Amino acid sequence: MSTISEVKQKALLAKQAAALTSQVTTEQKNEALIAMADALIANADDIIAANAIDLETGRNNGTSESLLDRLALNHARIEGIAEGLRQIVALEDPVGEQLAQFTRPNGLSITQIRVPLGVIGMIYEARPNVTVDATGLCLKTGNTVVLRGGSAAIASNRKIVEIMRSALSSTALPADAIQLIEDSDRASVNEMLKANGLLDVVIPRGGASLIRTVVENATVPVIETGAGICHTFVDESAQLQMAKDIALNAKAQRPSVCNSMETLLVHQAFADKHLTELLAPMQEANVEIRGCERTQALIATAKQATEADYATEYNDYILNVRIVDDLEQALQHIAKYGTMHSECIVTENEQNAAKFLQSIDAAAVYHNASTRFTDGFEFGFGAEIGISTQKLHARGPMGLPALTSTKYMITGNGQIRG
Amino acid sequence: MSTISEVKQKALLAKQAAALTSQVTTEQKNEALIAMADALIANADDIIAANAIDLETGRNNGTSESLLDRLALNHARIEGIAEGLRQIVALEDPVGEQLAQFTRPNGLSITQIRVPLGVIGMIYEARPNVTVDATGLCLKTGNTVVLRGGSAAIASNRKIVEIMRSALSSTALPADAIQLIEDSDRASVNEMLKANGLLDVVIPRGGASLIRTVVENATVPVIETGAGICHTFVDESAQLQMAKDIALNAKAQRPSVCNSMETLLVHQAFADKHLTELLAPMQEANVEIRGCERTQALIATAKQATEADYATEYNDYILNVRIVDDLEQALQHIAKYGTMHSECIVTENEQNAAKFLQSIDAAAVYHNASTRFTDGFEFGFGAEIGISTQKLHARGPMGLPALTSTKYMITGNGQIRG
């Protein structure tokens, strides 16, 4: 079976390369990233030609224009992708950072340092820019990477990886630090998910179905990313204008992303006075409103929101609106339907704000700011490999330290245990 | 199916309780631990009576005396278990610790704090002391716990949990923070492993087969513990006496634990001069030697070590001995057969020591000290929930912070994303 051999063979090459990439200096890693950025720009025409094949295949398969647009590369976009690599150069290298240093009464000196994870498997869809971003982040942290992108971008990815691998030949990093699984069969994904001993972690980036597949089938450790059913709760004491601005931004500034809002919870006293005005900007932005009964009584055009609606990540211009009795009911709704991604309260009541921040169990909890800020760049971390929605290892926007592990180095002079 | 309902029902109770335990103060948690310790001692006779049932069942089932000894409880052991809880009281509470605090140019104030993981599933074998230790560590970190101990200790565990739950009634913590799965069917383990949304993490403690089952079947995040094929490399320049002491301690001080040595690697030049003397204490300690060909040429009594032997965690008085050409070959052997737990070099050569510490990929890497020190108490962390052999989240002896996650709390005054 050729599928098995491709994943195994490339993961093994990546593992062998990881022994090397874990030992190179920050300067050497930065030189490699710059060489890759330069090579992408120098070979932009080749990338655009390969991308044209993907676009034509997509058109022949009836792919939507919006998806084709996300897939399309041109000189400006390639410049942007190369610039992304240069920004990673500017980020601090976490590898080697000393996290703890202490001496035990028996004289053992114990130092804990950050080390690379090893081999990172990336499973993703659509956009070829992830191929470059993920590679840059993995190499900067001394890891190697096994990429498995969507079949829609396979020609682009193949060319991009060929250029990046070739660029490494003039650097201290081995070309084998970057591996692309070209087999588009689903079996290659499943094989990656069970490649214990070869892959140290798998990170899925894509829609809910991809992430579910990974979580349900992986025996390799996973960093779960992305699923976001985010809420904004407008409390009784919220400022109307602030509530309007935050809600509109959370829903409509970019509905396709995980940190956008799916359900607006409104305190009944606020709703009685302001619901129409609160939702007016939504309606201007062509957001479809699905409401609870109380919402429907106030907003004639609102369809009925079902249990299933509350549990859906629309990633679209659709918003559930539910009027709640109080903060307590809002907290219960979020505990029931939230995906522990980003949650917001708009209130002038400091006690309620504190209670919300303290008791909501999510990666990011906001008081009087849009959930759209849950993002590596917005947090000041730079490019991110994803936004973790799990509780182990890393939670929220993942900076470079999320791509590292740790190791204890212990020095003695003959100590034995009594 | 009653199995399904027991796990689901108890995990749900634990999840509801976790909303409460995450919010109580350190003082309240400590009061609860002390109440539990007092109650265990006050009810020691009941525990011993329940334990007698387990011991009788074990005897009837032909359980070995050494296993029965590990299972047996008496007043002194119960005092020790209660003392373990009091030691957890003395440990610093990581929950609420501020890990980062910064303000973005747009005025958003971002604080990252430690929070409990939520509900921790513990799947373990044999000794009833784990029931108490794990509960103490989970409660101290604001988590709740779903315990699934071995069937051999079920009567003891049932009584211990009953006493601990009852002790909580006079405290701020709900009794439902402690749940025991009483169904001894394997199906209850499998159900825990797939209880996404109810259990936040599963931690297995036990033999290689239990850990493999958990890793292969869990869709819930897992913290892998314990498997240890640990090596000691005696370099050319090692001091003979130090090498003898460290090797004997690593192998024979307590062979049944994960941080003991399974394979001794010896530099050929050292072996030529000292192998007989190096291994003399092993033979006095009745350690069976399995050697490579070169070892067999020097040690007449050595059996042949096979590939399978190098890949086996004996947890017993058996030792593989392999003579290697140099440091490089030792590193290769460890990379091939090690489980990334604890590895040691004995050498007077600082360069070789540095290379070993730097390039070995393991939780703990030692220079001139026994691998037996990889342990929460020995590192000064206090009681541990286990020793992580994975790279994500926590690696090595896990102190209380390993039982926490993090959360970003963001405060603004109306910020929206442009």
Side-chain angles (χ1 to χ4, degrees), chain B residues 37 40-41 44 73-88 129 132-133 377 383:
Chain B
L40 289 172
I41 288 178
L73 292 175
N74 53 36
H75 279 97
R77 285 192 176 177
I78 293 170
E79 296 268 356
I81 289 171
E83 177 56 26
L85 283 178
R86 295 208 174 84
Q87 287 175 4
I88 296 171
N129 64 311
V132 181
D133 289 352
F377 282 107

mmCIF file with all atom_site columns, all heavy atoms in Angstrom, chain B residues 37 40-41 44 73-88 129 132-133 377 383:
data_model
loop_
_atom_site.group_PDB
_atom_site.id
_atom_site.type_symbol
_atom_site.label_atom_id
_atom_site.label_alt_id
_atom_site.label_comp_id
_atom_site.label_asym_id
_atom_site.label_entity_id
_atom_site.label_seq_id
_atom_site.pdbx_PDB_ins_code
_atom_site.Cartn_x
_atom_site.Cartn_y
_atom_site.Cartn_z
_atom_site.occupancy
_atom_site.B_iso_or_equiv
_atom_site.pdbx_formal_charge
_atom_site.auth_seq_id
_atom_site.auth_comp_id
_atom_site.auth_asym_id
_atom_site.auth_atom_id
_atom_site.pdbx_PDB_model_num
ATOM 1   N N   . ALA B 1 37  ? -8.677  13.845 55.900 1.00 0.00 ? 37  ALA B N   1
ATOM 2   C CA  . ALA B 1 37  ? -7.597  13.135 56.603 1.00 0.00 ? 37  ALA B CA  1
ATOM 3   C C   . ALA B 1 37  ? -8.082  12.683 57.983 1.00 0.00 ? 37  ALA B C   1
ATOM 4   O O   . ALA B 1 37  ? -7.890  11.516 58.373 1.00 0.00 ? 37  ALA B O   1
ATOM 5   C CB  . ALA B 1 37  ? -6.372  14.040 56.727 1.00 0.00 ? 37  ALA B CB  1
ATOM 6   N N   . LEU B 1 40  ? -10.541 9.769  57.699 1.00 0.00 ? 40  LEU B N   1
ATOM 7   C CA  . LEU B 1 40  ? -9.923  8.480  57.357 1.00 0.00 ? 40  LEU B CA  1
ATOM 8   C C   . LEU B 1 40  ? -9.355  7.819  58.617 1.00 0.00 ? 40  LEU B C   1
ATOM 9   O O   . LEU B 1 40  ? -9.500  6.612  58.833 1.00 0.00 ? 40  LEU B O   1
ATOM 10  C CB  . LEU B 1 40  ? -8.823  8.672  56.307 1.00 0.00 ? 40  LEU B CB  1
ATOM 11  C CG  . LEU B 1 40  ? -9.316  9.020  54.893 1.00 0.00 ? 40  LEU B CG  1
ATOM 12  C CD1 . LEU B 1 40  ? -8.136  9.380  53.987 1.00 0.00 ? 40  LEU B CD1 1
ATOM 13  C CD2 . LEU B 1 40  ? -10.114 7.866  54.282 1.00 0.00 ? 40  LEU B CD2 1
ATOM 14  N N   . ILE B 1 41  ? -8.724  8.632  59.466 1.00 0.00 ? 41  ILE B N   1
ATOM 15  C CA  . ILE B 1 41  ? -8.151  8.075  60.692 1.00 0.00 ? 41  ILE B CA  1
ATOM 16  C C   . ILE B 1 41  ? -9.257  7.665  61.671 1.00 0.00 ? 41  ILE B C   1
ATOM 17  O O   . ILE B 1 41  ? -9.223  6.576  62.254 1.00 0.00 ? 41  ILE B O   1
ATOM 18  C CB  . ILE B 1 41  ? -7.174  9.087  61.320 1.00 0.00 ? 41  ILE B CB  1
ATOM 19  C CG1 . ILE B 1 41  ? -5.925  9.138  60.431 1.00 0.00 ? 41  ILE B CG1 1
ATOM 20  C CG2 . ILE B 1 41  ? -6.823  8.702  62.750 1.00 0.00 ? 41  ILE B CG2 1
ATOM 21  C CD1 . ILE B 1 41  ? -4.880  10.116 60.861 1.00 0.00 ? 41  ILE B CD1 1
ATOM 22  N N   . ALA B 1 44  ? -10.699 4.359  60.582 1.00 0.00 ? 44  ALA B N   1
ATOM 23  C CA  . ALA B 1 44  ? -9.696  3.402  60.103 1.00 0.00 ? 44  ALA B CA  1
ATOM 24  C C   . ALA B 1 44  ? -10.173 1.952  60.251 1.00 0.00 ? 44  ALA B C   1
ATOM 25  O O   . ALA B 1 44  ? -9.935  1.119  59.370 1.00 0.00 ? 44  ALA B O   1
ATOM 26  C CB  . ALA B 1 44  ? -8.379  3.619  60.844 1.00 0.00 ? 44  ALA B CB  1
ATOM 27  N N   . LEU B 1 73  ? -4.129  -2.816 53.940 1.00 0.00 ? 73  LEU B N   1
ATOM 28  C CA  . LEU B 1 73  ? -4.130  -1.591 54.742 1.00 0.00 ? 73  LEU B CA  1
ATOM 29  C C   . LEU B 1 73  ? -4.138  -1.964 56.217 1.00 0.00 ? 73  LEU B C   1
ATOM 30  O O   . LEU B 1 73  ? -4.769  -2.941 56.620 1.00 0.00 ? 73  LEU B O   1
ATOM 31  C CB  . LEU B 1 73  ? -5.372  -0.759 54.415 1.00 0.00 ? 73  LEU B CB  1
ATOM 32  C CG  . LEU B 1 73  ? -5.417  -0.165 53.011 1.00 0.00 ? 73  LEU B CG  1
ATOM 33  C CD1 . LEU B 1 73  ? -6.750  0.522  52.764 1.00 0.00 ? 73  LEU B CD1 1
ATOM 34  C CD2 . LEU B 1 73  ? -4.273  0.821  52.801 1.00 0.00 ? 73  LEU B CD2 1
ATOM 35  N N   . ASN B 1 74  ? -3.409  -1.170 57.028 1.00 0.00 ? 74  ASN B N   1
ATOM 36  C CA  . ASN B 1 74  ? -3.462  -1.317 58.484 1.00 0.00 ? 74  ASN B CA  1
ATOM 37  C C   . ASN B 1 74  ? -3.429  0.100  59.057 1.00 0.00 ? 74  ASN B C   1
ATOM 38  O O   . ASN B 1 74  ? -3.406  1.079  58.298 1.00 0.00 ? 74  ASN B O   1
ATOM 39  C CB  . ASN B 1 74  ? -2.287  -2.174 58.975 1.00 0.00 ? 74  ASN B CB  1
ATOM 40  C CG  . ASN B 1 74  ? -0.954  -1.620 58.464 1.00 0.00 ? 74  ASN B CG  1
ATOM 41  O OD1 . ASN B 1 74  ? -0.779  -0.395 58.360 1.00 0.00 ? 74  ASN B OD1 1
ATOM 42  N ND2 . ASN B 1 74  ? -0.028  -2.511 58.136 1.00 0.00 ? 74  ASN B ND2 1
ATOM 43  N N   . HIS B 1 75  ? -3.435  0.197  60.370 1.00 0.00 ? 75  HIS B N   1
ATOM 44  C CA  . HIS B 1 75  ? -3.494  1.542  60.958 1.00 0.00 ? 75  HIS B CA  1
ATOM 45  C C   . HIS B 1 75  ? -2.319  2.410  60.520 1.00 0.00 ? 75  HIS B C   1
ATOM 46  O O   . HIS B 1 75  ? -2.482  3.587  60.196 1.00 0.00 ? 75  HIS B O   1
ATOM 47  C CB  . HIS B 1 75  ? -3.592  1.457  62.479 1.00 0.00 ? 75  HIS B CB  1
ATOM 48  C CG  . HIS B 1 75  ? -4.989  1.195  62.955 1.00 0.00 ? 75  HIS B CG  1
ATOM 49  N ND1 . HIS B 1 75  ? -5.452  -0.060 63.284 1.00 0.00 ? 75  HIS B ND1 1
ATOM 50  C CD2 . HIS B 1 75  ? -6.046  2.031  63.117 1.00 0.00 ? 75  HIS B CD2 1
ATOM 51  C CE1 . HIS B 1 75  ? -6.726  0.003  63.625 1.00 0.00 ? 75  HIS B CE1 1
ATOM 52  N NE2 . HIS B 1 75  ? -7.119  1.264  63.541 1.00 0.00 ? 75  HIS B NE2 1
ATOM 53  N N   . ALA B 1 76  ? -1.131  1.828  60.480 1.00 0.00 ? 76  ALA B N   1
ATOM 54  C CA  . ALA B 1 76  ? 0.046   2.625  60.118 1.00 0.00 ? 76  ALA B CA  1
ATOM 55  C C   . ALA B 1 76  ? -0.079  3.139  58.680 1.00 0.00 ? 76  ALA B C   1
ATOM 56  O O   . ALA B 1 76  ? 0.215   4.304  58.395 1.00 0.00 ? 76  ALA B O   1
ATOM 57  C CB  . ALA B 1 76  ? 1.315   1.778  60.269 1.00 0.00 ? 76  ALA B CB  1
ATOM 58  N N   . ARG B 1 77  ? -0.520  2.272  57.790 1.00 0.00 ? 77  ARG B N   1
ATOM 59  C CA  . ARG B 1 77  ? -0.648  2.709  56.391 1.00 0.00 ? 77  ARG B CA  1
ATOM 60  C C   . ARG B 1 77  ? -1.735  3.771  56.234 1.00 0.00 ? 77  ARG B C   1
ATOM 61  O O   . ARG B 1 77  ? -1.589  4.698  55.441 1.00 0.00 ? 77  ARG B O   1
ATOM 62  C CB  . ARG B 1 77  ? -0.939  1.496  55.498 1.00 0.00 ? 77  ARG B CB  1
ATOM 63  C CG  . ARG B 1 77  ? 0.310   0.636  55.282 1.00 0.00 ? 77  ARG B CG  1
ATOM 64  C CD  . ARG B 1 77  ? 0.116   -0.390 54.191 1.00 0.00 ? 77  ARG B CD  1
ATOM 65  N NE  . ARG B 1 77  ? 1.376   -1.113 53.956 1.00 0.00 ? 77  ARG B NE  1
ATOM 66  C CZ  . ARG B 1 77  ? 1.522   -2.116 53.099 1.00 0.00 ? 77  ARG B CZ  1
ATOM 67  N NH1 . ARG B 1 77  ? 0.480   -2.512 52.373 1.00 0.00 ? 77  ARG B NH1 1
ATOM 68  N NH2 . ARG B 1 77  ? 2.681   -2.711 52.939 1.00 0.00 ? 77  ARG B NH2 1
ATOM 69  N N   . ILE B 1 78  ? -2.812  3.629  56.979 1.00 0.00 ? 78  ILE B N   1
ATOM 70  C CA  . ILE B 1 78  ? -3.881  4.639  56.884 1.00 0.00 ? 78  ILE B CA  1
ATOM 71  C C   . ILE B 1 78  ? -3.391  5.974  57.449 1.00 0.00 ? 78  ILE B C   1
ATOM 72  O O   . ILE B 1 78  ? -3.675  7.038  56.903 1.00 0.00 ? 78  ILE B O   1
ATOM 73  C CB  . ILE B 1 78  ? -5.156  4.130  57.581 1.00 0.00 ? 78  ILE B CB  1
ATOM 74  C CG1 . ILE B 1 78  ? -5.707  2.936  56.781 1.00 0.00 ? 78  ILE B CG1 1
ATOM 75  C CG2 . ILE B 1 78  ? -6.208  5.228  57.682 1.00 0.00 ? 78  ILE B CG2 1
ATOM 76  C CD1 . ILE B 1 78  ? -6.818  2.172  57.478 1.00 0.00 ? 78  ILE B CD1 1
ATOM 77  N N   . GLU B 1 79  ? -2.597  5.899  58.524 1.00 0.00 ? 79  GLU B N   1
ATOM 78  C CA  . GLU B 1 79  ? -1.974  7.134  59.041 1.00 0.00 ? 79  GLU B CA  1
ATOM 79  C C   . GLU B 1 79  ? -1.111  7.772  57.949 1.00 0.00 ? 79  GLU B C   1
ATOM 80  O O   . GLU B 1 79  ? -1.116  8.983  57.755 1.00 0.00 ? 79  GLU B O   1
ATOM 81  C CB  . GLU B 1 79  ? -1.063  6.828  60.244 1.00 0.00 ? 79  GLU B CB  1
ATOM 82  C CG  . GLU B 1 79  ? -1.747  6.288  61.477 1.00 0.00 ? 79  GLU B CG  1
ATOM 83  C CD  . GLU B 1 79  ? -2.155  7.399  62.442 1.00 0.00 ? 79  GLU B CD  1
ATOM 84  O OE1 . GLU B 1 79  ? -1.835  8.570  62.162 1.00 0.00 ? 79  GLU B OE1 1
ATOM 85  O OE2 . GLU B 1 79  ? -2.803  7.067  63.457 1.00 0.00 ? 79  GLU B OE2 1
ATOM 86  N N   . GLY B 1 80  ? -0.365  6.936  57.246 1.00 0.00 ? 80  GLY B N   1
ATOM 87  C CA  . GLY B 1 80  ? 0.507   7.448  56.181 1.00 0.00 ? 80  GLY B CA  1
ATOM 88  C C   . GLY B 1 80  ? -0.300  8.109  55.068 1.00 0.00 ? 80  GLY B C   1
ATOM 89  O O   . GLY B 1 80  ? 0.075   9.164  54.549 1.00 0.00 ? 80  GLY B O   1
ATOM 90  N N   . ILE B 1 81  ? -1.417  7.482  54.713 1.00 0.00 ? 81  ILE B N   1
ATOM 91  C CA  . ILE B 1 81  ? -2.274  8.026  53.650 1.00 0.00 ? 81  ILE B CA  1
ATOM 92  C C   . ILE B 1 81  ? -2.862  9.374  54.085 1.00 0.00 ? 81  ILE B C   1
ATOM 93  O O   . ILE B 1 81  ? -2.895  10.336 53.316 1.00 0.00 ? 81  ILE B O   1
ATOM 94  C CB  . ILE B 1 81  ? -3.377  7.002  53.305 1.00 0.00 ? 81  ILE B CB  1
ATOM 95  C CG1 . ILE B 1 81  ? -2.764  5.801  52.562 1.00 0.00 ? 81  ILE B CG1 1
ATOM 96  C CG2 . ILE B 1 81  ? -4.478  7.646  52.476 1.00 0.00 ? 81  ILE B CG2 1
ATOM 97  C CD1 . ILE B 1 81  ? -3.729  4.636  52.354 1.00 0.00 ? 81  ILE B CD1 1
ATOM 98  N N   . ALA B 1 82  ? -3.301  9.444  55.345 1.00 0.00 ? 82  ALA B N   1
ATOM 99  C CA  . ALA B 1 82  ? -3.854  10.696 55.862 1.00 0.00 ? 82  ALA B CA  1
ATOM 100 C C   . ALA B 1 82  ? -2.773  11.777 55.916 1.00 0.00 ? 82  ALA B C   1
ATOM 101 O O   . ALA B 1 82  ? -3.017  12.949 55.594 1.00 0.00 ? 82  ALA B O   1
ATOM 102 C CB  . ALA B 1 82  ? -4.455  10.469 57.247 1.00 0.00 ? 82  ALA B CB  1
ATOM 103 N N   . GLU B 1 83  ? -1.567  11.361 56.284 1.00 0.00 ? 83  GLU B N   1
ATOM 104 C CA  . GLU B 1 83  ? -0.449  12.309 56.329 1.00 0.00 ? 83  GLU B CA  1
ATOM 105 C C   . GLU B 1 83  ? -0.174  12.857 54.925 1.00 0.00 ? 83  GLU B C   1
ATOM 106 O O   . GLU B 1 83  ? 0.156   14.029 54.756 1.00 0.00 ? 83  GLU B O   1
ATOM 107 C CB  . GLU B 1 83  ? 0.790   11.612 56.908 1.00 0.00 ? 83  GLU B CB  1
ATOM 108 C CG  . GLU B 1 83  ? 2.058   12.445 56.946 1.00 0.00 ? 83  GLU B CG  1
ATOM 109 C CD  . GLU B 1 83  ? 1.907   13.752 57.696 1.00 0.00 ? 83  GLU B CD  1
ATOM 110 O OE1 . GLU B 1 83  ? 1.042   13.827 58.589 1.00 0.00 ? 83  GLU B OE1 1
ATOM 111 O OE2 . GLU B 1 83  ? 2.647   14.714 57.363 1.00 0.00 ? 83  GLU B OE2 1
ATOM 112 N N   . GLY B 1 84  ? -0.345  12.007 53.909 1.00 0.00 ? 84  GLY B N   1
ATOM 113 C CA  . GLY B 1 84  ? -0.192  12.464 52.529 1.00 0.00 ? 84  GLY B CA  1
ATOM 114 C C   . GLY B 1 84  ? -1.147  13.615 52.212 1.00 0.00 ? 84  GLY B C   1
ATOM 115 O O   . GLY B 1 84  ? -0.772  14.587 51.543 1.00 0.00 ? 84  GLY B O   1
ATOM 116 N N   . LEU B 1 85  ? -2.386  13.524 52.684 1.00 0.00 ? 85  LEU B N   1
ATOM 117 C CA  . LEU B 1 85  ? -3.351  14.611 52.464 1.00 0.00 ? 85  LEU B CA  1
ATOM 118 C C   . LEU B 1 85  ? -2.893  15.888 53.160 1.00 0.00 ? 85  LEU B C   1
ATOM 119 O O   . LEU B 1 85  ? -2.999  16.986 52.601 1.00 0.00 ? 85  LEU B O   1
ATOM 120 C CB  . LEU B 1 85  ? -4.732  14.211 52.998 1.00 0.00 ? 85  LEU B CB  1
ATOM 121 C CG  . LEU B 1 85  ? -5.556  13.244 52.147 1.00 0.00 ? 85  LEU B CG  1
ATOM 122 C CD1 . LEU B 1 85  ? -6.875  12.913 52.857 1.00 0.00 ? 85  LEU B CD1 1
ATOM 123 C CD2 . LEU B 1 85  ? -5.855  13.862 50.778 1.00 0.00 ? 85  LEU B CD2 1
ATOM 124 N N   . ARG B 1 86  ? -2.357  15.738 54.380 1.00 0.00 ? 86  ARG B N   1
ATOM 125 C CA  . ARG B 1 86  ? -1.902  16.932 55.124 1.00 0.00 ? 86  ARG B CA  1
ATOM 126 C C   . ARG B 1 86  ? -0.725  17.590 54.402 1.00 0.00 ? 86  ARG B C   1
ATOM 127 O O   . ARG B 1 86  ? -0.569  18.810 54.424 1.00 0.00 ? 86  ARG B O   1
ATOM 128 C CB  . ARG B 1 86  ? -1.524  16.541 56.549 1.00 0.00 ? 86  ARG B CB  1
ATOM 129 C CG  . ARG B 1 86  ? -2.712  16.040 57.360 1.00 0.00 ? 86  ARG B CG  1
ATOM 130 C CD  . ARG B 1 86  ? -2.585  16.287 58.863 1.00 0.00 ? 86  ARG B CD  1
ATOM 131 N NE  . ARG B 1 86  ? -3.834  15.904 59.511 1.00 0.00 ? 86  ARG B NE  1
ATOM 132 C CZ  . ARG B 1 86  ? -4.130  14.642 59.877 1.00 0.00 ? 86  ARG B CZ  1
ATOM 133 N NH1 . ARG B 1 86  ? -3.235  13.682 59.703 1.00 0.00 ? 86  ARG B NH1 1
ATOM 134 N NH2 . ARG B 1 86  ? -5.293  14.356 60.431 1.00 0.00 ? 86  ARG B NH2 1
ATOM 135 N N   . GLN B 1 87  ? 0.098   16.754 53.754 1.00 0.00 ? 87  GLN B N   1
ATOM 136 C CA  . GLN B 1 87  ? 1.218   17.348 52.997 1.00 0.00 ? 87  GLN B CA  1
ATOM 137 C C   . GLN B 1 87  ? 0.709   18.129 51.793 1.00 0.00 ? 87  GLN B C   1
ATOM 138 O O   . GLN B 1 87  ? 1.301   19.133 51.397 1.00 0.00 ? 87  GLN B O   1
ATOM 139 C CB  . GLN B 1 87  ? 2.191   16.250 52.558 1.00 0.00 ? 87  GLN B CB  1
ATOM 140 C CG  . GLN B 1 87  ? 3.016   15.718 53.731 1.00 0.00 ? 87  GLN B CG  1
ATOM 141 C CD  . GLN B 1 87  ? 3.900   14.541 53.349 1.00 0.00 ? 87  GLN B CD  1
ATOM 142 O OE1 . GLN B 1 87  ? 3.952   14.152 52.193 1.00 0.00 ? 87  GLN B OE1 1
ATOM 143 N NE2 . GLN B 1 87  ? 4.592   13.987 54.332 1.00 0.00 ? 87  GLN B NE2 1
ATOM 144 N N   . ILE B 1 88  ? -0.398  17.691 51.211 1.00 0.00 ? 88  ILE B N   1
ATOM 145 C CA  . ILE B 1 88  ? -0.974  18.432 50.075 1.00 0.00 ? 88  ILE B CA  1
ATOM 146 C C   . ILE B 1 88  ? -1.514  19.785 50.551 1.00 0.00 ? 88  ILE B C   1
ATOM 147 O O   . ILE B 1 88  ? -1.431  20.783 49.840 1.00 0.00 ? 88  ILE B O   1
ATOM 148 C CB  . ILE B 1 88  ? -2.067  17.591 49.376 1.00 0.00 ? 88  ILE B CB  1
ATOM 149 C CG1 . ILE B 1 88  ? -1.428  16.335 48.767 1.00 0.00 ? 88  ILE B CG1 1
ATOM 150 C CG2 . ILE B 1 88  ? -2.780  18.410 48.305 1.00 0.00 ? 88  ILE B CG2 1
ATOM 151 C CD1 . ILE B 1 88  ? -2.435  15.321 48.243 1.00 0.00 ? 88  ILE B CD1 1
ATOM 152 N N   . ASN B 1 129 ? -4.188  3.490  48.128 1.00 0.00 ? 129 ASN B N   1
ATOM 153 C CA  . ASN B 1 129 ? -3.688  4.819  48.496 1.00 0.00 ? 129 ASN B CA  1
ATOM 154 C C   . ASN B 1 129 ? -3.823  5.814  47.357 1.00 0.00 ? 129 ASN B C   1
ATOM 155 O O   . ASN B 1 129 ? -3.970  7.009  47.577 1.00 0.00 ? 129 ASN B O   1
ATOM 156 C CB  . ASN B 1 129 ? -2.228  4.746  48.958 1.00 0.00 ? 129 ASN B CB  1
ATOM 157 C CG  . ASN B 1 129 ? -1.297  4.293  47.851 1.00 0.00 ? 129 ASN B CG  1
ATOM 158 O OD1 . ASN B 1 129 ? -1.578  3.304  47.186 1.00 0.00 ? 129 ASN B OD1 1
ATOM 159 N ND2 . ASN B 1 129 ? -0.234  5.031  47.621 1.00 0.00 ? 129 ASN B ND2 1
ATOM 160 N N   . VAL B 1 132 ? -6.886  8.030  47.532 1.00 0.00 ? 132 VAL B N   1
ATOM 161 C CA  . VAL B 1 132 ? -6.812  9.210  48.398 1.00 0.00 ? 132 VAL B CA  1
ATOM 162 C C   . VAL B 1 132 ? -5.859  10.265 47.828 1.00 0.00 ? 132 VAL B C   1
ATOM 163 O O   . VAL B 1 132 ? -6.197  11.454 47.747 1.00 0.00 ? 132 VAL B O   1
ATOM 164 C CB  . VAL B 1 132 ? -6.376  8.806  49.826 1.00 0.00 ? 132 VAL B CB  1
ATOM 165 C CG1 . VAL B 1 132 ? -6.318  10.032 50.727 1.00 0.00 ? 132 VAL B CG1 1
ATOM 166 C CG2 . VAL B 1 132 ? -7.321  7.756  50.391 1.00 0.00 ? 132 VAL B CG2 1
ATOM 167 N N   . ASP B 1 133 ? -4.673  9.834  47.415 1.00 0.00 ? 133 ASP B N   1
ATOM 168 C CA  . ASP B 1 133 ? -3.690  10.780 46.869 1.00 0.00 ? 133 ASP B CA  1
ATOM 169 C C   . ASP B 1 133 ? -4.290  11.568 45.707 1.00 0.00 ? 133 ASP B C   1
ATOM 170 O O   . ASP B 1 133 ? -4.199  12.790 45.648 1.00 0.00 ? 133 ASP B O   1
ATOM 171 C CB  . ASP B 1 133 ? -2.464  10.040 46.301 1.00 0.00 ? 133 ASP B CB  1
ATOM 172 C CG  . ASP B 1 133 ? -1.597  9.442  47.394 1.00 0.00 ? 133 ASP B CG  1
ATOM 173 O OD1 . ASP B 1 133 ? -1.860  9.732  48.576 1.00 0.00 ? 133 ASP B OD1 1
ATOM 174 O OD2 . ASP B 1 133 ? -0.673  8.691  47.051 1.00 0.00 ? 133 ASP B OD2 1
ATOM 175 N N   . PHE B 1 377 ? 8.475   13.967 44.839 1.00 0.00 ? 377 PHE B N   1
ATOM 176 C CA  . PHE B 1 377 ? 9.061   14.280 46.147 1.00 0.00 ? 377 PHE B CA  1
ATOM 177 C C   . PHE B 1 377 ? 10.542  14.613 46.001 1.00 0.00 ? 377 PHE B C   1
ATOM 178 O O   . PHE B 1 377 ? 11.036  15.573 46.587 1.00 0.00 ? 377 PHE B O   1
ATOM 179 C CB  . PHE B 1 377 ? 8.881   13.112 47.121 1.00 0.00 ? 377 PHE B CB  1
ATOM 180 C CG  . PHE B 1 377 ? 7.506   13.034 47.705 1.00 0.00 ? 377 PHE B CG  1
ATOM 181 C CD1 . PHE B 1 377 ? 6.626   12.047 47.313 1.00 0.00 ? 377 PHE B CD1 1
ATOM 182 C CD2 . PHE B 1 377 ? 7.077   13.978 48.636 1.00 0.00 ? 377 PHE B CD2 1
ATOM 183 C CE1 . PHE B 1 377 ? 5.341   11.968 47.843 1.00 0.00 ? 377 PHE B CE1 1
ATOM 184 C CE2 . PHE B 1 377 ? 5.798   13.914 49.178 1.00 0.00 ? 377 PHE B CE2 1
ATOM 185 C CZ  . PHE B 1 377 ? 4.929   12.910 48.778 1.00 0.00 ? 377 PHE B CZ  1
ATOM 186 N N   . ALA B 1 383 ? 3.694   15.513 46.632 1.00 0.00 ? 383 ALA B N   1
ATOM 187 C CA  . ALA B 1 383 ? 2.978   14.382 46.040 1.00 0.00 ? 383 ALA B CA  1
ATOM 188 C C   . ALA B 1 383 ? 2.713   14.650 44.566 1.00 0.00 ? 383 ALA B C   1
ATOM 189 O O   . ALA B 1 383 ? 2.503   15.784 44.160 1.00 0.00 ? 383 ALA B O   1
ATOM 190 C CB  . ALA B 1 383 ? 1.663   14.167 46.771 1.00 0.00 ? 383 ALA B CB  1
#
